[in-house]
mmCIF file of all heavy atoms in Angstrom:
data_model
loop_
_atom_site.group_PDB
_atom_site.id
_atom_site.type_symbol
_atom_site.label_atom_id
_atom_site.label_comp_id
_atom_site.label_asym_id
_atom_site.label_seq_id
_atom_site.Cartn_x
_atom_site.Cartn_y
_atom_site.Cartn_z
ATOM 1 N N LEU B 331 84.706 113.251 71.859
ATOM 2 C CA LEU B 331 83.644 113.511 70.887
ATOM 3 C C LEU B 331 83.228 112.208 70.223
ATOM 4 O O LEU B 331 84.071 111.357 69.932
ATOM 5 C CB LEU B 331 84.157 114.463 69.800
ATOM 6 C CG LEU B 331 84.052 115.959 70.070
ATOM 7 C CD1 LEU B 331 84.610 116.716 68.898
ATOM 8 C CD2 LEU B 331 82.616 116.359 70.312
ATOM 9 N N PRO B 332 81.947 112.055 69.951
ATOM 10 C CA PRO B 332 81.511 110.846 69.240
ATOM 11 C C PRO B 332 82.029 110.854 67.807
ATOM 12 O O PRO B 332 82.340 111.895 67.235
ATOM 13 C CB PRO B 332 79.981 110.936 69.288
ATOM 14 C CG PRO B 332 79.677 112.350 69.622
ATOM 15 C CD PRO B 332 80.817 112.859 70.410
ATOM 16 N N ILE B 333 82.104 109.686 67.231
ATOM 17 C CA ILE B 333 82.752 109.516 65.934
ATOM 18 C C ILE B 333 82.003 110.228 64.812
ATOM 19 O O ILE B 333 82.605 110.644 63.818
ATOM 20 C CB ILE B 333 82.929 108.005 65.646
ATOM 21 C CG1 ILE B 333 83.646 107.757 64.314
ATOM 22 C CG2 ILE B 333 81.600 107.291 65.677
ATOM 23 C CD1 ILE B 333 85.046 108.282 64.302
ATOM 24 N N GLN B 334 80.691 110.461 64.990
ATOM 25 C CA GLN B 334 79.929 111.148 63.938
ATOM 26 C C GLN B 334 80.498 112.545 63.697
ATOM 27 O O GLN B 334 80.693 112.963 62.549
ATOM 28 C CB GLN B 334 78.455 111.251 64.327
ATOM 29 C CG GLN B 334 77.680 109.950 64.238
ATOM 30 C CD GLN B 334 77.806 109.103 65.498
ATOM 31 O OE1 GLN B 334 78.511 109.490 66.440
ATOM 32 N NE2 GLN B 334 77.162 107.948 65.504
ATOM 33 N N ILE B 335 80.764 113.236 64.784
ATOM 34 C CA ILE B 335 81.294 114.595 64.643
ATOM 35 C C ILE B 335 82.703 114.563 64.065
ATOM 36 O O ILE B 335 83.076 115.381 63.220
ATOM 37 C CB ILE B 335 81.268 115.298 66.014
ATOM 38 C CG1 ILE B 335 79.816 115.469 66.451
ATOM 39 C CG2 ILE B 335 81.974 116.649 65.944
ATOM 40 C CD1 ILE B 335 79.644 116.082 67.790
ATOM 41 N N TRP B 336 83.466 113.582 64.486
ATOM 42 C CA TRP B 336 84.821 113.452 63.941
ATOM 43 C C TRP B 336 84.771 113.204 62.427
ATOM 44 O O TRP B 336 85.589 113.733 61.680
ATOM 45 C CB TRP B 336 85.576 112.312 64.620
ATOM 46 C CG TRP B 336 86.142 112.675 65.949
ATOM 47 C CD1 TRP B 336 85.865 112.079 67.127
ATOM 48 C CD2 TRP B 336 87.092 113.708 66.233
ATOM 49 N NE1 TRP B 336 86.563 112.670 68.132
ATOM 50 C CE2 TRP B 336 87.320 113.674 67.610
ATOM 51 C CE3 TRP B 336 87.751 114.671 65.465
ATOM 52 C CZ2 TRP B 336 88.199 114.547 68.240
ATOM 53 C CZ3 TRP B 336 88.620 115.536 66.086
ATOM 54 C CH2 TRP B 336 88.841 115.470 67.455
ATOM 55 N N ALA B 337 83.792 112.401 62.026
ATOM 56 C CA ALA B 337 83.669 112.096 60.595
ATOM 57 C C ALA B 337 83.391 113.372 59.801
ATOM 58 O O ALA B 337 83.953 113.590 58.722
ATOM 59 C CB ALA B 337 82.559 111.076 60.385
ATOM 60 N N GLU B 338 82.520 114.225 60.363
ATOM 61 C CA GLU B 338 82.240 115.495 59.699
ATOM 62 C C GLU B 338 83.497 116.348 59.580
ATOM 63 O O GLU B 338 83.771 116.937 58.530
ATOM 64 C CB GLU B 338 81.189 116.270 60.501
ATOM 65 C CG GLU B 338 79.764 115.974 60.086
ATOM 66 C CD GLU B 338 78.831 116.870 60.850
ATOM 67 O OE1 GLU B 338 78.984 118.101 60.770
ATOM 68 O OE2 GLU B 338 77.964 116.333 61.567
ATOM 69 N N ILE B 339 84.219 116.401 60.673
ATOM 70 C CA ILE B 339 85.438 117.216 60.670
ATOM 71 C C ILE B 339 86.436 116.662 59.652
ATOM 72 O O ILE B 339 87.084 117.405 58.911
ATOM 73 C CB ILE B 339 86.063 117.258 62.079
ATOM 74 C CG1 ILE B 339 85.149 118.015 63.038
ATOM 75 C CG2 ILE B 339 87.443 117.905 62.054
ATOM 76 C CD1 ILE B 339 85.535 117.881 64.483
ATOM 77 N N ALA B 340 86.506 115.341 59.606
ATOM 78 C CA ALA B 340 87.490 114.714 58.724
ATOM 79 C C ALA B 340 87.181 114.966 57.251
ATOM 80 O O ALA B 340 88.077 114.951 56.406
ATOM 81 C CB ALA B 340 87.536 113.212 59.002
ATOM 82 N N LYS B 341 85.900 115.213 56.961
ATOM 83 C CA LYS B 341 85.533 115.479 55.562
ATOM 84 C C LYS B 341 86.204 116.745 55.042
ATOM 85 O O LYS B 341 86.469 116.891 53.848
ATOM 86 C CB LYS B 341 84.014 115.617 55.453
ATOM 87 C CG LYS B 341 83.310 114.298 55.223
ATOM 88 C CD LYS B 341 81.807 114.521 55.172
ATOM 89 C CE LYS B 341 81.064 113.294 55.662
ATOM 90 N NZ LYS B 341 79.718 113.624 56.149
ATOM 91 N N ALA B 342 86.440 117.679 55.944
ATOM 92 C CA ALA B 342 87.014 118.955 55.531
ATOM 93 C C ALA B 342 88.483 118.815 55.151
ATOM 94 O O ALA B 342 89.046 119.679 54.487
ATOM 95 C CB ALA B 342 86.860 119.969 56.653
ATOM 96 N N ILE B 343 89.100 117.741 55.592
ATOM 97 C CA ILE B 343 90.523 117.569 55.300
ATOM 98 C C ILE B 343 90.651 116.871 53.956
ATOM 99 O O ILE B 343 90.179 115.747 53.789
ATOM 100 C CB ILE B 343 91.190 116.730 56.406
ATOM 101 C CG1 ILE B 343 90.931 117.379 57.770
ATOM 102 C CG2 ILE B 343 92.673 116.612 56.168
ATOM 103 C CD1 ILE B 343 91.203 116.466 58.916
ATOM 104 N N ARG B 344 91.290 117.537 53.035
ATOM 105 C CA ARG B 344 91.305 116.986 51.687
ATOM 106 C C ARG B 344 92.673 116.459 51.271
ATOM 107 O O ARG B 344 92.825 115.333 50.839
ATOM 108 C CB ARG B 344 90.857 118.064 50.697
ATOM 109 C CG ARG B 344 89.364 118.306 50.712
ATOM 110 C CD ARG B 344 89.001 119.425 49.778
ATOM 111 N NE ARG B 344 89.693 120.650 50.115
ATOM 112 C CZ ARG B 344 89.206 121.558 50.977
ATOM 113 N NH1 ARG B 344 88.053 121.350 51.567
ATOM 114 N NH2 ARG B 344 89.880 122.657 51.258
ATOM 115 N N ASP B 345 93.686 117.262 51.469
ATOM 116 C CA ASP B 345 94.970 116.915 50.869
ATOM 117 C C ASP B 345 95.704 115.812 51.627
ATOM 118 O O ASP B 345 96.467 115.061 51.033
ATOM 119 C CB ASP B 345 95.866 118.160 50.819
ATOM 120 C CG ASP B 345 95.158 119.275 50.075
ATOM 121 O OD1 ASP B 345 94.346 118.932 49.186
ATOM 122 O OD2 ASP B 345 95.405 120.443 50.376
ATOM 123 N N VAL B 346 95.482 115.770 52.884
ATOM 124 C CA VAL B 346 96.220 114.789 53.684
ATOM 125 C C VAL B 346 95.261 113.768 54.264
ATOM 126 O O VAL B 346 94.059 113.971 54.297
ATOM 127 C CB VAL B 346 96.991 115.485 54.830
ATOM 128 C CG1 VAL B 346 98.156 116.252 54.275
ATOM 129 C CG2 VAL B 346 96.063 116.396 55.601
ATOM 130 N N LYS B 347 95.863 112.694 54.673
ATOM 131 C CA LYS B 347 95.044 111.583 55.166
ATOM 132 C C LYS B 347 94.793 111.747 56.665
ATOM 133 O O LYS B 347 95.745 111.920 57.433
ATOM 134 C CB LYS B 347 95.811 110.286 54.911
ATOM 135 C CG LYS B 347 94.906 109.101 54.672
ATOM 136 C CD LYS B 347 95.755 107.925 54.227
ATOM 137 C CE LYS B 347 94.927 106.670 54.071
ATOM 138 N NZ LYS B 347 93.821 106.783 53.134
ATOM 139 N N PRO B 348 93.548 111.681 57.086
ATOM 140 C CA PRO B 348 93.306 111.673 58.530
ATOM 141 C C PRO B 348 93.473 110.263 59.086
ATOM 142 O O PRO B 348 92.972 109.297 58.508
ATOM 143 C CB PRO B 348 91.862 112.141 58.657
ATOM 144 C CG PRO B 348 91.233 111.777 57.363
ATOM 145 C CD PRO B 348 92.292 111.751 56.324
ATOM 146 N N ILE B 349 94.194 110.166 60.191
ATOM 147 C CA ILE B 349 94.336 108.870 60.859
ATOM 148 C C ILE B 349 93.534 108.923 62.138
ATOM 149 O O ILE B 349 93.751 109.790 62.985
ATOM 150 C CB ILE B 349 95.819 108.559 61.157
ATOM 151 C CG1 ILE B 349 96.526 108.134 59.888
ATOM 152 C CG2 ILE B 349 95.941 107.481 62.202
ATOM 153 C CD1 ILE B 349 97.870 107.532 60.123
ATOM 154 N N PHE B 350 92.611 107.993 62.268
ATOM 155 C CA PHE B 350 91.809 107.925 63.485
ATOM 156 C C PHE B 350 92.525 107.029 64.485
ATOM 157 O O PHE B 350 92.837 105.874 64.179
ATOM 158 C CB PHE B 350 90.418 107.374 63.181
ATOM 159 C CG PHE B 350 89.599 108.282 62.305
ATOM 160 C CD1 PHE B 350 89.665 108.177 60.922
ATOM 161 C CD2 PHE B 350 88.779 109.248 62.863
ATOM 162 C CE1 PHE B 350 88.921 109.007 60.118
ATOM 163 C CE2 PHE B 350 88.030 110.086 62.046
ATOM 164 C CZ PHE B 350 88.106 109.976 60.672
ATOM 165 N N VAL B 351 92.774 107.572 65.645
ATOM 166 C CA VAL B 351 93.417 106.768 66.680
ATOM 167 C C VAL B 351 92.328 106.218 67.586
ATOM 168 O O VAL B 351 91.577 106.974 68.186
ATOM 169 C CB VAL B 351 94.403 107.614 67.502
ATOM 170 C CG1 VAL B 351 95.009 106.772 68.599
ATOM 171 C CG2 VAL B 351 95.477 108.176 66.605
ATOM 172 N N ILE B 352 92.249 104.915 67.634
ATOM 173 C CA ILE B 352 91.236 104.311 68.496
ATOM 174 C C ILE B 352 91.911 103.771 69.756
ATOM 175 O O ILE B 352 92.999 103.205 69.700
ATOM 176 C CB ILE B 352 90.458 103.197 67.772
ATOM 177 C CG1 ILE B 352 91.427 102.173 67.154
ATOM 178 C CG2 ILE B 352 89.572 103.794 66.703
ATOM 179 C CD1 ILE B 352 90.742 100.956 66.637
ATOM 180 N N PRO B 353 91.272 103.956 70.886
ATOM 181 C CA PRO B 353 91.878 103.473 72.133
ATOM 182 C C PRO B 353 91.559 102.013 72.412
ATOM 183 O O PRO B 353 92.105 101.426 73.338
ATOM 184 C CB PRO B 353 91.248 104.370 73.198
ATOM 185 C CG PRO B 353 89.935 104.752 72.629
ATOM 186 C CD PRO B 353 90.062 104.751 71.147
#
Side-chain angles (χ1 to χ4, degrees):
Chain B
L331 273 180
I333 182 64
Q334 286 85 358
I335 295 177
W336 280 121
E338 270 185 57
I339 293 169
K341 272 178 210 156
I343 305 164
R344 284 177 302 271
D345 304 330
V346 288
K347 210 172 176 58
I349 284 193
F350 294 89
V351 178
I352 52 170

